[in-house]
Structure formats: C-alpha cells, structure tokens
Amino acid sequence: MEHILIIGGGVGGALAHDLTLRGYRVTLVERGELLSGTTGRHHGLLHSGGRYVFHDAETARECYEENRILRHIASEAIEPNGGLFIALNEEDISHQDRFLEGCNAAGIPTAPLSPRQAMSREPALNPALLAAVGVPDAVMDAWRLAMAFFATARANGAAIRTFCEVTDLKMLGRQVAGVRVIDHRSGLSETIGADLVVNAAGPWSGRIAAMAGIGVPIQPGPGVMVAVRGRVTQAVVNRLHPAGEGDIIVPQRRLSVLGTTAWLADDPDQVTAPAEHVARLFSLCAELVPAVAAMAPHAVWSASRPLLQSSQDQDPFAISRTFDCFDHAARDGIEGLVTLIGGKATTMRAMAEQTADLIGRKTGRDIACHTRETILLPYRRYWRGDMGN
C-alpha cells in the first residue's frame, strides 16, 4: 500500500486515522509537540452551526453534521451541555427570525425561550435579556478530542514523529517524492520518502506550498481568548447577532473561556495577545454575563485560524470557515502533493474524509470511509505505548 506523509500535528491526526483505516502506510511529522499550533488552542466550542447561519450556510451545515458524529465517536471528550443565543437589545431581536430560518435551513434544532425560561436555566445571564434560543452547542476538550484521533491512528500503525520540522520538499522534477526534516531533539536531518505528501500545516501551509514553488489561498486569522476562574454558566452562551467580537462564553472544566477577537496577519509565528483585546473581551462578554466584569484573567492566549481565502473580504468574521483540499497535480502541475486548508476543529473529521477520498482517487483505490461510525480509542492510549494489541 502507498506511503502517505502528513505535515502537521493538528487536523493531521484525523487524517492519519482515516488513512490507516483505509489501509495506507502513514507517517506524520510535526515541528513541535502535537496540537501546539491552532488545533490545541481554540476555546473548545463544539459548534451547533448556529454561529454561522447568518453568513456561512455551508459551514453551519458542516458543523451540525459533525457535531452529531463527534458526540458518537468521541463522547469521552465532549460535554453535551447545550447552548443559548441571547438577545440583549432591539437590534438583536431584529435578527431572531433570520436566525431561526437559517438554523432550520441547516437542519439545526432550535428552542425559543422566554427571558424567564432563559434566566431559570442560566441565572447569571444579563437580566435585561429580551429573548433566547436554545441550540445543540456543546463543549469539547481541545486536546483530548484531537488526541483520541492520534491514539487510534497510532494503534492502527501510523508513525507519528514530533519535533520534526520540514525544511524542504524532495522534488524529482515537478513531483514531490518526500520531505527533508530536521529532528529538533537529536539535531539530525534526514530525508523521508513518500508516495504522496499532504500539507496539513494549518496557517503555516503557505510556507510548505512555497517549497514547491506554488501558492495556496491561506490567510492566517489570529484571535485572542481569555479564561477566567469558575463556570459563570453551565451552557455555552452566544449573542444573537452575526458573528463578531466578544460574543461567546464557553464553560470549560472549572473555567469559562471568553472569546474571541479576530484580525488578519501575515506571519502566524509573530502573533501576540494585545492587552486591548483582553479588555475588550471583558467589556463585551460582561454584556452577556455581568459577573464577568469583576473577574480577572486566569489565562490569556492567541491562535491563528487557517482561513480559506476564497474572496477579497477583509473582515475576518465574514471569511468562510469552510475547508477545501487541493490536488496540486491538477491545480499547479506538481504531482505528489495535496494541501488541506480552512475548516474548524468541529469539522476536522470531515476535512480528513474529503482529503482521504481525494487520495483514494489519486492512488486508484476505491476504499470506503469508516470514520463516521468508528469509535475512537481513549486519548490516554496514545501515551501508554499499547499499540492496540
């Protein structure tokens, strides 16, 4: 069976899982620790899709479908606590009908609630709220969910090499035949041959594509998140309006995560967490839950979204969160290279399925995907050295 090499230890774990189930030999390289990039640094919201119904119907449908699948295959990593979209003023109320219509079109269940019903469910909400809608949001553990994919892929034979940074592609004319890596722990460099290389490096995927002399439509879109101590609500709380800054609160274990801000950047390695973004998150999220205003940051971090730049839109909240994969043989005349970009943690399994289907077509193998129904191993198995025997 062909040897597939994956660059990137984020959504690459879901792809390694899919490909090993289909019988491919898989090697994954990651320049740091697994999930040290974008995939391990999000707020942990398992989207119902409601956040995207105003401007991104495709992503809304993708999120709800994957929400249901992940609850089935990775229940250990998910808290099915539900979510609320709340209206705080007349402008928010004006969006309610369109929100309900968008959810209905995407197949997302909704439950309109009166202010009294919403306050009964979440007493810390702003008592001035005018309306609320319940949706099947949930909370995922950003690390445990993704590690379950890595644990299962490893048990099925995938070789996963961390702290191995790709420094170049092995080119044979206009064909990619492997990668050149440096192992940051040993200091040694080596070439790893492969029948096909998948560029799944997230916001860094442009650098990998440039090694083959080509470009990809990737736009790093950083955002800041803040954790405060305690769960201010038990359900996810969203503001009922088109997606914007400071309009989500996600209860995560014994913390609450305030999110997010967003801007566009050129270099994902130079992204910081500006202090003014932290202050803005407290101010905006206190409109949802007033108690937030008196809290202090427990942790502050940023991460770069790997946005698929399909238009000239410069509003980071308006750029679609959907995903795509490119066969560079058809797109650029470079054989042996596929790039996967865009998407969200909620849709990582679907991203892997679409990419593995493309690899199947390229290798002439018609092997069905089984990741929709295959229950993932516990994330702890990754470190046990128990290879599934």
Side-chain angles (χ1 to χ4, degrees):
M1 187 65 91
E2 291 82 359
H3 180 206
I4 312 299
L5 188 140
I6 303 168
I7 304 171
V11 299
L15 180 58
H17 166 56
D18 192 316
L19 291 172
T20 54
L21 285 182
R22 301 194 198 210
Y24 289 97
R25 177 189 167 203
V26 175
T27 299
L28 183 146
V29 294
E30 160 58 45
R31 72 173 185 170
E33 184 53 276
L34 295 177
L35 308 176
S36 57
T38 302
T39 308
R41 300 171 66 81
H42 59 86
H43 42 47
L45 170 55
L46 181 67
H47 287 273
S48 63
R51 183 168 174 79
Y52 302 109
V53 298
F54 288 112
H55 69 286
D56 195 350
E58 181 179 7
T59 298
R61 285 191 295 272
E62 291 168 352
C63 283
Y64 183 54
E65 180 174 4
E66 292 304 310
N67 177 308
R68 290 182 295 168
I69 293 172
L70 291 176
R71 288 172 190 250
H72 173 61
I73 67 172
S75 60
E76 183 185 56
I78 292 169
E79 179 184 357
N81 47 344
L84 292 174
F85 279 75
I86 66 171
L88 297 176
N89 56 34
E90 292 300 326
E91 182 178 353
D92 293 348
I93 287 288
S94 72
H95 297 303
Q96 185 169 4
D97 287 347
R98 190 173 154 219
F99 176 77
L100 293 171
E101 291 167 3
C103 286
N104 184 57
I108 303 167
T110 55
L113 302 172
S114 68
R116 176 177 294 183
Q117 289 172 317
M119 292 297 298
S120 173
R121 183 170 164 183
E122 293 292 350
L125 292 176
N126 187 337
L129 71 90
L130 301 177
V133 179
V135 296
D137 280 339
V139 172
M140 69 174 99
D141 187 299
W143 298 275
R144 291 174 179 173
L145 175 63
M147 287 308 300
F149 281 107
F150 282 107
T152 313
R154 190 177 181 189
N156 287 327
I160 297 172
R161 300 183 56 177
T162 56
F163 298 99
C164 282
E165 183 171 4
V166 173
T167 56
D168 206 353
L169 299 178
K170 178 184 177 182
M171 302 292 297
L172 299 176
R174 294 187 66 78
Q175 177 168 356
V176 176
V179 297
R180 183 78 173 165
V181 300
I182 180 170
D183 186 323
H184 288 299
R185 288 181 289 202
S186 68
L188 299 177
S189 296
E190 65 176 300
T191 298
I192 306 174
D195 296 297
L196 194 149
V197 172
V198 180
N199 173 15
W204 295 271
S205 58
R207 294 183 188 175
I208 301 299
M211 294 176 186
I214 57 179
V216 291
I218 185 73
Q219 173 61 68
V224 172
M225 284 150 279
V226 178
V228 297
R229 290 186 183 276
R231 293 171 67 109
V232 298
T233 61
Q234 297 306 313
V236 177
V237 177
N238 310 259
R239 187 149 184 176
L240 207 170
H241 66 187
E245 288 192 327
D247 58 0
I248 302 176
I249 299 178
V250 181
Q252 185 67 261
R253 302 188 192 180
R254 294 180 178 177
L255 303 172
S256 297
V257 180
L258 316 180
T260 62
T261 59
W263 70 98
L264 302 181
D266 295 323
D267 185 351
D269 283 330
Q270 300 302 318
V271 169
T272 61
E276 61 270 26
H277 287 226
V278 176
R280 200 152 69 233
L281 285 174
F282 272 95
S283 175
L284 291 168
C285 288
E287 295 179 21
L288 302 172
V289 175
V292 167
M295 294 181 162
H298 171 70
V300 176
W301 70 99
S302 64
S304 287
R305 306 167 180 87
L307 301 177
L308 175 62
Q309 186 62 279
S310 57
S311 71
Q312 295 304 308
D313 204 321
Q314 291 300 300
D315 178 357
F317 285 107
I319 297 174
S320 173
R321 269 43 171 180
T322 191
F323 59 89
D324 205 349
C325 53
F326 303 106
D327 176 3
H328 291 290
R331 183 176 181 269
D332 305 295
I334 301 292
E335 188 53 86
L337 180 65
V338 167
T339 292
L340 169 62
I341 54 178
K344 305 185 62 60
T346 298
T347 59
M348 69 171 79
R349 189 216 61 83
M351 296 167 68
E353 179 179 349
Q354 185 170 313
T355 307
D357 286 347
L358 171 60
I359 291 170
R361 293 192 295 274
K362 287 186 65 65
T363 57
R365 299 186 184 280
D366 182 18
I367 307 172
C369 176
H370 293 291
T371 61
R372 290 170 180 261
E373 66 274 7
T374 300
I375 305 299
L376 297 174
L377 291 176
Y379 67 91
R380 300 178 187 85
R381 290 285 292 273
Y382 181 82
W383 293 281
R384 281 176 50 187
D386 181 345
M387 306 302 280
N389 299 318

